[in-house]
Amino acid sequence: MSDIEAYLQQQTNLRGRSAYHEDQPLELWRNQLRTRVKERLGGFPTMAAALNPVLLERITCDGYIRERIEITTYAGLRMPVYLLIPGDGSITENKRPAIVACHGHGYGSREISGMEPDGSPRTGEPGLHKDFAVALVKRGYVVAAPELLGFGDRRLEEDPDAPPGASSCTKIAAHLLMVGKTLAGHRVYETTRVLDYVSTRPEVDSERIGSMGISGGGLVTAFTAALDERFRATVVSGYASTFQGSILDRNHCLDNYVPGILREAELPDLIGLIVPRPLFIEAGSDDQVFPIHAAREAYARLTHIYEQAGASESLDADFFTGGHEISGAKAYDWLDQVL
């Protein structure tokens, strides 16, 4: 190990000051850590902009209706969202549970919604995302699939000729970092605005809204659920890990880095802010991005947090045979039970 590597290891081996200890009051720990995490993410607006939703398209699909909605997140910033509604989209007295589904790196919300990059129906393999938004709507959930900042239709204008799976993450993240903001923070806040919108839909039971995300979308899902208790249940796929075991161990997109976050807590404690609400972890045995050994380490830490909170029954996991991908084999049934 070189002196540079040794120095970096020394600097990043700091134990977060807000790691949860059983002698701490749970609510006090959560409130204090949430406040500091928001600050590390760059802070959120004190007043929410009006959503001003606009319907862009409405298409009948196989067993569900797909709408493309655009909403305001930050003042001056608009976000497109696919809304998948079971059946024929008609309003009934029996409101449905909903899931906010966050894609990872790739070509955006179309990639989890059964479409090719140009919006045409999928003809090839679904890839690591497994069209999980479609899988969920076919189980009876209203599913909101937001276009995360930097992907798909929300890439920078200078990137129109880049391959569909290319993102604008690096430049957006770098510019935000220069003014004390983060791309992770923007995505988290925008996802809370998706929740604001979904809660207004007449088809949705606002007390039964969950979330699910893969990889970079797992980051968004985990942090958003940690900070916003309106998410009643959460599935984190291909992301639960430790910072030491993945983010600091190999090259990642700049959108994963939050200045000073290790001074607050390691990743399992941050995800643990979801306690005592239901949390499910998916991790593939051959995941080369978020390795299985770090996922198991994170799950052990989460188990301790949930046990200390008296909520062991609200935590579950599927360490499945596979790679960096959605599984759903156990997660979908688990969602049916908790939502």
Side-chain angles (χ1 to χ4, degrees):
M1 180 184 294
S2 71
D3 60 338
I4 297 174
E5 291 168 325
Y7 176 79
L8 289 175
Q9 185 177 62
Q10 179 188 48
Q11 292 300 303
T12 56
N13 274 343
L14 297 171
R15 181 177 178 84
R17 63 180 176 181
S18 293
Y20 177 61
H21 303 285
E22 50 269 28
D23 58 349
Q24 296 174 284
L26 179 65
E27 195 63 26
L28 178 63
W29 168 74
R30 286 191 305 185
N31 289 339
Q32 291 179 342
L33 182 52
R34 280 175 179 161
T35 296
R36 290 200 290 270
V37 169
K38 288 179 183 179
E39 292 172 353
R40 295 293 186 183
L41 288 171
F44 298 157
T46 55
M47 182 176 295
L51 289 167
N52 294 325
V54 174
L55 177 64
L56 303 178
E57 66 177 29
R58 194 171 198 269
I59 297 173
T60 300
C61 300
D62 181 17
Y64 62 97
I65 300 295
R66 186 181 73 227
E67 295 183 352
R68 184 75 156 169
I69 310 291
E70 189 177 72
I71 62 173
T72 296
T73 53
Y74 289 84
L77 192 59
R78 300 281 285 175
M79 167 191 264
V81 181
Y82 280 114
L83 196 72
L84 312 184
I85 307 166
D88 62 4
S90 59
I91 307 300
T92 68
E93 293 184 359
N94 297 320
K95 295 189 174 186
R96 297 178 179 273
I99 303 289
V100 176
C102 292
H103 63 81
H105 282 75
Y107 58 84
S109 57
R110 293 185 179 94
E111 192 161 2
I112 67 174
S113 303
M115 287 174 276
E116 301 292 347
D118 62 1
S120 62
R122 182 179 307 291
T123 57
E125 293 298 317
L128 67 91
H129 291 87
K130 305 290 182 64
D131 287 333
F132 76 95
V134 177
L136 288 166
V137 74
K138 290 194 171 184
R139 294 181 76 101
Y141 296 96
V142 175
V143 183
E147 191 92 293
L148 299 183
L149 187 60
F151 296 105
D153 292 344
R154 304 186 78 203
R155 296 189 297 181
L156 296 172
E157 289 186 359
E158 65 193 46
D159 295 327
D161 298 326
S167 75
S168 298
C169 294
T170 299
K171 185 169 184 177
I172 296 173
H175 280 233
L176 289 172
L177 287 170
M178 291 295 285
V179 292
K181 305 290 185 180
T182 67
L183 183 49
H186 272 63
R187 289 173 177 166
V188 167
Y189 180 72
E190 287 198 309
T191 303
T192 69
R193 301 310 318 277
V194 175
L195 177 56
D196 291 341
Y197 173 70
V198 171
S199 298
T200 70
R201 293 289 301 213
E203 307 93 342
V204 172
D205 181 348
S206 62
E207 297 299 316
R208 299 168 66 198
I209 300 178
S211 56
M212 183 171 181
I214 169 74
S215 192
L219 180 159
V220 177
T221 295
F223 275 65
T224 308
L227 298 177
D228 195 325
E229 293 190 350
R230 292 177 296 169
F231 284 110
R232 303 301 187 184
T234 301
V235 177
V236 178
S237 182
Y239 178 71
S241 181
T242 64
F243 289 129
Q244 295 287 351
S246 178
I247 302 302
L248 295 176
D249 186 62
R250 57 207 62 207
N251 290 330
H252 276 275
C253 178
L254 190 58
D255 61 7
N256 283 284
Y257 299 91
V258 178
I261 197 66
L262 263 178
R263 293 190 175 275
E264 305 304 340
E266 246 287 3
L267 183 54
D269 282 86
L270 300 175
I271 300 175
L273 288 171
I274 296 171
V275 72
R277 288 166 289 143
L279 171 64
F280 192 96
I281 301 300
E282 281 195 337
S285 59
D286 300 317
D287 192 327
Q288 301 301 307
V289 185
F290 293 92
I292 189 69
H293 69 86
R296 290 188 179 278
E297 183 181 344
Y299 188 70
R301 178 62 181 160
L302 286 164
T303 297
H304 174 73
I305 293 171
Y306 270 73
E307 285 176 348
Q308 292 301 318
S312 298
E313 72 286 350
S314 294
L315 178 67
D316 205 349
D318 182 13
F319 297 101
F320 63 92
T321 301
H324 186 60
E325 59 188 318
I326 287 281
S327 170
K330 296 181 180 179
Y332 297 148
D333 288 341
W334 178 86
L335 279 170
D336 292 345
Q337 295 170 9
V338 298
L339 279 181

